Structure formats: structure tokens, C-alpha cells
Amino acid sequence: MEEFEKSPVSVGEDTGMDENDTVENPKTSRKSSSDSESSDSEDEADQKEQLLTLEYELSRNPSNYDAHVQYIKLLRRSGEIEKLREARENMNTLFPLSPEMWIEWAKDEASLSNDSNFESVEKLYERGVSEYLSIPLWCDYLKSVQEHDPKVRDCSADGISKARDLFERAVTAAALHVSQGSLIWDAYIQFEQAILLPIDQSNIQAKEKQVQRIRSVFHRYLSIPLANLKSTLLAYKTWEVEQGNSLDAESDNVLEISSHVASAFQKAEEMFKARAHLEDQITRRDVSESERFQHYMSYLDFEKSSGDPARVQILYERAITDFPVSSDLWLHYTRYLDKTLKAGNVVKDVYSRATRSCPWVGELWVRYLLCLERGLASEKEISAAFEKSLKCTFSTLEEYLDLFLTRVDGLRRRISSASGDDVLNYSMIKESFQQAADYLSPHMKNTGGLLRLHAYWAHLELKLGNDLNAARGVWESLLKSCGSMLEAWQSYIAMEIELDHINEARAIYKRCYSKKFSGTGSEDICHSWLRFEREFGTLEDLSHAEQKVTPRLEELQLFRLLQESKCFTGATDQRVQTLKNTAREKRKSSSSAIDDQSTAKQQKYTSQNKILHEKENTQGLNLAEVNDGEEKKGKVEEQVNEKQMKDNPTKSRLYTDQCTAFVSNMSITAKDEDLHQFFSDVGGVTAIRILLDKFTGKSRGLAYVDFEDDEHLAAAVAKNKQMLLGKKLSISRSNPKQRKRESFSRTAAGEDASNQSGRHGSSVSKESGEHSQGSRTPRVPQSTGRKRDENIQLKGKNTFALPRNVKPLGWTANKPGTRTEEDEKPKSNDEFRKMFMKS
């Protein structure tokens, strides 16, 4: 290699190269090769690190859908076949795979196996087409069978029969797809035409039979409203010409074909025209997800009004493919199937897919259990579905309670009707109740749901278990955790009274009458005991109850009076303090108004008018100072709010976050996940707070929804007046701080204007009083601002009627020593006359 480097090749030598060719240095080539190898090794190291990270994430959180997808992509890129199979199986046990993932999986397996092992690939396709409606997946399945199945490829009788059955299944599942269904029909016709070609011309009977089969497929094809009906008609006429029939293959006139085919074609064309605009709305890609979802719902309403369940079901399947995790859509779909089909494998299959797509929706699991019971499923299948549902995470405890009660309901019905399996017995119901109590009791103390569970349990212990002690044990266990719940004691007593166990009921009254219950519960239980003794006890029992209850009632009445007096005293003190503050403010404003009056009675009108203007300017400055103070106060409040948000962001978010929507007119049954799903197309939801009634704990139909930024909030507000659970929501931007400031500003401005008008009115009245004393015809000063002839409310003390404090002649401000107490006293009218007569 050193000799090769020392003797470079010149251009003039006969080397077989022209002047434009370059000689690659082996050293440089080896260097670039080593660089590429090092970069490949770095990429492999990165892939291994990413795989380890994803494996750890999936071991910690198996429900991470995105992690599953990324893990499968990396394994497919690295070529680890066994791990890739395992990863796909693990993901499919938790989630349905997308049609694209099924196609990739089937093609990978087909490339690794020969045609003799094609059955494993077929099973993958079958699993894929059972999860979602996908025309590309069906077409790939049909094509793969024709290419890799030896029987179908060789056109054997069994192979042709197998392919035809598969095409009929595809037609049933997807041929009604308006925009893409023609792909299935075209593939079907091409398959039948391929069978026709190798038939010998001498075998007229077989050839004619195949021609009739193709013609029948064409006739079915032309009777379905699809997107390309006219091109299908031309293709059919062209094929008929090839068979020797005289038709105009270039004309879409239907008069040349048979009447029944022409009638079916025209009807299909009319149906397509009625649906064309709806198809255009759901297939457009320039609309938002929420708009497309609403278009699907409108389309479904149209199909339901048409009355064809097959078309409604195919449209639901199309919508599910586009919105696989929409709980509202799955609930709509399952309710429709329960109403139309009620039972069967189709409904059960849809419920199975629904619970896998939206496992967090408790109602879907409840309806799934009812569907299995309605379809007479085995206890093993029902129990497996129930156990799987308990592994899911629901948003509310009521969903878990409903699930447990549904399970118990099914066991009770099958045990009572003796139509269930032999393994069913009451012990299964008891175990379900105990499982529910252990799970729910720590989280649902003193709630109606827990009371409902134990009341049902005690009832079945009596009716099915025939065990009174067990029923009493149920109530006692409830009272241990919910002893302050009045309804629990009353229900326990009601059971004993219903069984005519009077002494036992009386014993329970003696245990609970002295307990403290919320509200008026303590008084109610005392009155209930007296009523019980009047109806069931003796006179001695009634007297004994009165001796026990009367002191308790007096104690409770005294306690109520003390509470009311404290509340009244507090309210009175607050009102008195408010009145004192108001009076103090009035005195301050009145004294300031008196001090602002002019002290020179002999000034001319011009000087008075000048003083009036100065007063107005002073009041305007004071108002500006007040407004400035309020602005400063608002800034201080904002700083305090910001500090509160930093200290406790959860508490202050409701009042300071500008990216919050206020939702009203909700259904009281709406839950957090309903709102989350409603805003799923908008995205950016960070928190949802449904306002609850403080007494009942039920929803008030109001909620606050927080968003990440203003863009998501604006998109959410745009969904105003849309429907959720049968109610038209009212959605607006929530800004309580701004509303509070506006209310404060309006109140402050109103008070300032009122006070200002009062001060002006007082000044004018004083000046007019001074003019009336000076002359018989007072001169009214002209207003430089608003008119002075309006009705003016005088506030504070009315001082204009008081005789003026006139200084004696010869008094000057420069001689303070000459002032006397007598000079400061107000003069009467007689004293005024004497003074002027003396002068």
C-alpha cells in the first residue's frame, strides 16, 4: 500500500480513465468506511438504550399506549422477531390494534413463513378485521389469500369455495361503505372473472354458470348506493358486450338493461344523492375533529330515520374506526344495538371491543355484564368479564358501586330462577357483597351509596340466605363505620319492625337516641322513638321513652337557642359596627363641607363664582385621588393573588386563572369523564371541577374547566350550545376577578358621584342662602359643568338655614386679640337690625 501511495497515477498514462475520473485513495475509503461503522454502532447503542427505557416504562405502567407503539416500532426496526411478536401480543391483550398495525403484523409474518404455514397469517387477519372496520385491511386480506393460499391460488374447488365465502363475509361487513365499498365489489368481480377465463369453451354449461354468477354479482353491486355508480354501470355494460349482448357500452342509459336491474340502480342512485353531502362532510380533511364528529352524529340520525339497521351499523363502525376512544360514541352504539338486536354474538362482540377501547367507562362494563346475562353466557365468562372490570380505573366510586350491584343482581336473578349453572349458590352473592364492602367502605363513609349496598345485602341475607343473624351483622358492620348516619339507624330499625321484632327495635332506639346527628337528626330520632312506642308499645313503654327523650329534647332545644343567639348577636354587632362606620364617615364629610364654606360675606358674586369653581376642581382632584387609590388597591390585590397562587396553586386557580371555562346547564348525571370526552377534540384540559350541592353532594349542573392556554380555551368556548347527555351546554370564558373589579368600580363610582352631587348641592344651597340675605332678588350663578337647576339631594347637616356668624364692624383677621366668645355666637334677625341701625 505504501508503494501505491508513492507512485500516483498520471492522467496521461493508459489507465482506462479519462480526465474527469478521480482515483479513490484506499486510506480515505477505509476512513469513511470506519466512520460509517462507528455511526452504525452508535445508532445501535441508542436503540438498545431506548428499548431498555421503554421496557422499564411498560413494566411500570402497562397501560401506556404510546409506549407500546414506540416499543413495537423499535423492535421492528432492529429485527428482533420473537420480542416483536411478544410485544404485539402484549399490547393486543390490553388495546385493540389499529388497522395499519394489523397489516404490518400480517405482512411481517407472511414474509417469514412459507405458503404451507399461511394459516397463522390468516388468524392474524381474522383478529384484525374483528376489531375495526377497515376496507384496506379487508382488501389486503383478500389479496393475501389469493396469493399465498395454495388451494385458492390453484383454483381448486375447495379453494374457490373458501375464497367465495371470504368475499361474501367482506361484502357483508364492508360493502355498504359508501365511499370505499366499491373496492370490495371490484375485487370480487375480478376474482370471478379470473375463474371464468380458464374454463374451456366446450364446457358450455360450466361457462354459462360462471357468467350468471358474475352477472349476479354485478346486479347486487348496482343496487347499492356507492360513490361510483355510473362507472360501475358502464363497466357492467362493457362486460355484457363482451358476452355477446348488444348494448351501448359508452352510454349510462339504463333503458337497455333489464327492468329490475334498472329500477334497483335508479333507487340506489337516489339514495346516494340523498347521502352525498353527508359523505362529503365526514370524509373532508379540512375540518376539525369535533366538527367531523358532529357530522357523523347527524349522518347517524339520518340513517336511523331511514330505518335500515344494516346501514346504521356500518356507519357506526366507520365512526368507531375514526374515533376509537370516544366513550359517547360507544355508548350510543351499544344502546342502539340493545334496542334493535338486544342479544346475539354481534352485540356481545361490540361490547367486548367497547370495553377494550374505553376501559375507564364504568357504564360500558355494566352494560356488558347485562349483555352477557341476556345472551345466556356461562358463569365463567361473566365472572371473567367482571374480574377484568375491577382492574380498570374509573373516575367515581359510584361506578364501582354500580358494577358490584350489577354483578349481585345477575347472580340473584339466576339463582332465583334456577336457570343458571349448577355452581351458582348464595355464597357467591355473599362473597361479592363482602368484596364490595371491603373496597368501598373506606372511601364512601356516611354516604347513601354505602347504605344502599348494606341494605341490599341485609335484604338478601334474609330472603335468600334465611339468616337473621347475618342480616343483623350486616347492619352492625355498617354502624361501626357510619354510626353518625341517621339513615343507617332508621333502616336497621325498619328491618326489625318489618320482622315484628319490637323489643329488638326498641333496643336500637335506646342505643341511638342520645347520639349526635347532623341537622335536626337528633330531634327526629327522639320523635321517631315516641311515635314507635305509641304505635307498638305499652303505656309503660311510652312513659319510659318520654322520660328518656324529654330531657334530651330540652337539651337540644337549649343548644339550638344558644346557637341562634350567637348568630343573632354576631349579626347585630356587625350591623351596629357598620352603622357606626357610616355615621362617622357622614360626620367627616359634613365637617369638611362646613370648613370649605366662604368666611367673607361681603365678597362680590365674581369672587363667589371663582370659589365655586375652585371647589369643583378640588372635588375632582379628590375623586381622582380616590380612583388612584382604588387602582393601587387593585394592584395590591393582584400581587396578593399571585402570591397565593405560588403558595397554593390549587386553591387559587379557581379565582386567578384566566384560561378557565364556565360550563352551565349540564345534566346532573354528567361526570368529569363526560366533560373530558366532550372537550377531547379541543384538547388542553388540565382540570375539571363540577360544583356539588353542599347538603346532598349531587351535581348542581355547573362546572369549571381549566385549559393549558387561551387557544384551547377559545376552542372550548366555540363549542357553546352543543349537546351533552341530552342537555345543550352553555360555555363561556370564566373571569371572576374581572367581574369582581367591574362590580367594585361601578359601586365606587356610584358612591363617589352621589357624594359629589351631595357636596355640590350643599355648596349651591349655602351660596343661594347668602344671596337671599344680601338682596331680595338673588343672582343664580351660571354652571360651568352640569346644570344647577337639577334636583339635588342634600347630604350631611343642612346648614343653610342657620343664621350666619357675622363678625362685628371693625373686626379684622390681623387682630386676633380683639376676638371674643360673643363674636363667635350666631346672631338673630333682631340683632342684625340693631347692628345696622347703630351703624
Side-chain angles (χ1 to χ4, degrees), residues 56-68:
Y56 173 75
E57 172 62 24
L58 291 174
S59 64
R60 191 175 60 88
N61 182 16
S63 300
N64 191 334
Y65 183 90
D66 294 333
H68 279 287

Side-chain angles (χ1 to χ4, degrees), residues 199-296:
I199 297 178
D200 190 74
Q201 295 292 334
S202 59
N203 194 349
I204 300 175
Q205 184 177 0
K207 185 175 182 178
E208 183 62 27
K209 184 178 180 181
Q210 184 61 23
V211 168
Q212 288 297 330
R213 187 183 296 276
I214 297 173
R215 183 177 286 116
S216 175
V217 175
F218 262 121
H219 290 175
R220 292 167 62 191
Y221 189 1
L222 292 171
S223 65
I224 298 176
L226 298 175
N228 54 350
L229 279 174
K230 290 188 177 180
S231 60
T232 304
L233 177 63
L234 296 176
Y236 168 62
K237 295 174 75 174
T238 302
W239 180 81
E240 287 286 2
V241 171
E242 292 175 357
Q243 306 310 313
N245 297 318
S246 59
L247 295 175
D248 186 2
E250 297 181 358
S251 173
D252 58 358
N253 193 348
V254 297
L255 298 177
E256 298 175 345
I257 60 179
S258 59
S259 59
H260 70 281
V261 177
S263 176
F265 174 82
Q266 291 174 345
K267 183 178 179 181
E269 197 171 25
E270 292 176 359
M271 292 175 65
F272 173 74
K273 289 179 180 179
R275 293 164 174 78
H277 68 286
L278 297 171
E279 283 289 330
D280 180 64
Q281 289 175 345
I282 65 174
T283 54
R284 288 175 56 188
R285 297 300 175 185
D286 58 344
V287 296
S288 64
E289 292 294 315
S290 60
E291 290 178 337
R292 196 145 63 95
F293 183 83
Q294 294 299 327
H295 292 328
Y296 262 115

Side-chain angles (χ1 to χ4, degrees), residues 573-611:
D573 293 343
Q574 184 178 3
R575 185 176 179 183
V576 169
Q577 185 64 32
T578 303
L579 293 174
K580 288 181 179 179
N581 294 336
T582 304
R584 188 180 300 112
E585 292 177 358
K586 287 184 177 180
R587 286 196 298 271
K588 288 182 180 180
S589 61
S590 176
S591 61
S592 62
I594 295 174
D595 293 340
D596 290 341
Q597 292 178 2
S598 174
T599 59
K601 290 292 293 179
Q602 292 83 11
Q603 290 182 347
K604 296 184 179 180
Y605 167 72
T606 55
S607 62
Q608 293 175 349
N609 195 20
K610 180 178 179 181
I611 293 172

